Amino acid sequence: MQREQRRPDRVWTAEQDDTLLSFLLTHVTGKSRNNIKSMLSRGQVKVDGRAVTRFDTPVPVGSRVSVTQHLEEPAPALPFPVLYEDDDLIVIDKPAGLLTIANEKERFRTAYRILTDYVREKNKFARIFVVHRLDRDTSGVVLFAKNEETKRAFQEDWDQRVLRRGYRAVVEGTPEPPEGYVRSWLRETRTHLVYSGEKGRDAKEAITAYRTLASGGGYALLEVDLETGRKNQIRVHMSDLGHPIAGDQQYGAKTRPLGRLCLHAHRLELIDPRSGEKRVFAAREPIAFRRLCREKSKSRE
């Protein structure tokens, strides 16, 4: 059995009266409040040579506080893959069923909140900024910024910077022709249902390109690209085409074979405002999408 390794203890002398948690938050850098409470519960903190676990332990002036630094433990596993991360960006493959940001019904279990906790494991002052979002029932590539400057650089010129937003969708039936475009003017009801309607002041033009990759078993797997980025655009246009997305009962689907909306954002291509270079972020669609379509791919992906 290997002996647990640790780094040399860090030691400070209190220069004024304090309580232990307050003292540690001031002196132990790179750790969140929860990290420090965990260190206390594991007996890693001593005051004048005595291990203490209570966060409200008094620390009088002159006290010697030491922290045993175990080798870095792996960060808790995230409930989704991180596709890319640097000092300014973090890109994830969001699962279906998870909100990108909070709404009036769910404030805590969101990709935004989970990533905020994740970055604060290393820096308690770290923040996450939303650049764009996916609907709760849509899975796939979502880009977040780690600072406000990067967020603003992307969002202020988003339409010009985004070269491609590619999706994979399983629809009911097989579209004919197997590839093409859907164009309409989208409107929204007071209950937030989006639909194709007449051109007018409140309508927004929407253009969607689609291509059939595979079909069989009553379903087809489509490559879908947005030429405009409107709310619920793909869902409305697939319904207009007569082939609603599987699982999308709101827009006319009769089946729910995977217990979810069968829509996945698999590719985001853009110009990075920091470097001017093209960046590509990709996440393969769920294997179950292809299993629904039993025929082999009809064209090159």
Side-chain angles (χ1 to χ4, degrees):
M1 183 176 179
Q2 291 185 337
R3 183 177 299 173
E4 183 179 22
Q5 294 182 317
R6 68 181 191 180
R7 296 172 179 160
D9 290 357
R10 297 187 65 185
V11 182
W12 302 270
T13 300
E15 297 180 354
Q16 61 185 31
D17 292 344
D18 207 341
T19 56
L20 188 54
L21 180 59
S22 174
F23 181 90
L24 293 172
L25 286 170
T26 301
H27 291 81
V28 181
T29 59
K31 298 291 184 182
S32 68
R33 190 183 191 91
N34 287 337
N35 290 152
I36 290 174
K37 286 186 175 181
S38 294
M39 291 165 64
L40 285 166
S41 66
R42 292 194 296 263
Q44 291 177 238
V45 181
K46 295 179 181 179
V47 177
D48 292 331
R50 180 175 61 88
V52 293
T53 58
R54 291 185 59 88
F55 66 87
D56 57 353
T57 298
V59 180
V61 62
S63 299
R64 285 173 59 82
V65 179
S66 62
V67 174
T68 300
Q69 298 186 100
H70 296 291
L71 292 178
E72 287 293 324
E73 300 176 2
L78 290 168
F80 42 69
V82 174
L83 303 174
Y84 177 83
E85 181 177 5
D86 63 22
D87 291 340
D88 301 313
L89 300 176
I90 184 164
V91 185
I92 68 167
D93 181 1
K94 185 189 80 67
L98 181 68
L99 285 168
T100 303
I101 60 173
N103 63 16
E104 64 278 1
K105 295 181 179 179
E106 176 59 71
R107 299 187 61 185
F108 298 103
R109 190 179 178 277
T110 66
Y112 169 81
R113 185 66 175 263
I114 292 168
L115 284 175
T116 297
D117 290 343
Y118 166 75
V119 298
R120 286 181 178 172
E121 288 292 324
K122 297 179 181 179
N123 177 359
K124 66 182 179 180
F125 300 109
R127 296 181 64 187
I128 287 291
F129 297 84
V130 177
V131 176
H132 75 119
R133 67 190 72 176
L134 293 178
D135 292 339
R136 167 181 255 160
D137 294 330
T138 302
S139 56
V141 179
V142 185
L143 170 69
F144 293 86
K146 288 185 173 180
N147 53 69
E148 195 164 5
E149 293 77 16
T150 302
K151 171 199 171 183
R152 191 179 302 114
F154 275 105
Q155 287 192 333
E156 287 181 351
D157 204 19
W158 180 252
D159 290 339
Q160 282 66 46
R161 293 199 180 279
V162 175
L163 304 176
R164 183 185 178 196
R165 291 182 68 179
Y167 289 74
R168 294 283 167 86
V170 176
V171 300
E172 295 181 340
T174 303
E176 289 295 341
E179 61 182 284
Y181 289 85
V182 182
R183 178 183 180 185
S184 72
W185 294 88
L186 298 184
R187 294 177 171 273
E188 188 171 353
T189 68
R190 291 182 180 179
T191 58
H192 307 297
L193 180 70
V194 181
Y195 66 98
S196 293
E198 296 294 326
K199 181 178 179 180
R201 187 181 62 182
D202 297 326
K204 297 179 180 179
E205 184 181 28
I207 304 172
T208 305
Y210 73 91
R211 178 169 63 102
T212 303
L213 299 176
S215 63
Y219 298 98
L221 176 65
L222 306 186
E223 175 85 55
V224 182
D225 281 276
L226 296 178
E227 296 201 6
T228 56
R230 309 303 186 192
K231 178 181 176 181
N232 289 355
Q233 174 177 326
I234 297 175
R235 298 170 64 183
V236 174
H237 279 177
M238 293 304 100
S239 180
D240 290 348
L241 198 63
H243 299 279
I245 298 171
D248 195 2
Q249 295 171 329
Q250 186 175 27
Y251 286 96
K254 296 181 173 61
T255 64
R256 191 174 172 84
L258 299 182
R260 58 161 289 187
L261 177 73
C262 293
L263 182 62
H264 178 81
H266 85 107
R267 197 171 184 90
L268 177 63
E269 300 180 10
L270 48 79
I271 300 299
D272 192 326
R274 304 167 301 172
S275 64
E277 297 177 346
K278 178 181 176 180
R279 305 295 298 273
V280 178
F281 305 111
R284 188 173 178 84
E285 76 276 5
I287 295 174
F289 278 26
R290 286 188 177 273
R291 288 177 179 163
L292 285 175
C293 311
R294 291 191 288 268
E295 292 182 10
K296 293 183 179 180
S297 178
K298 292 184 173 181
S299 56
R300 182 177 62 86
E301 295 183 38

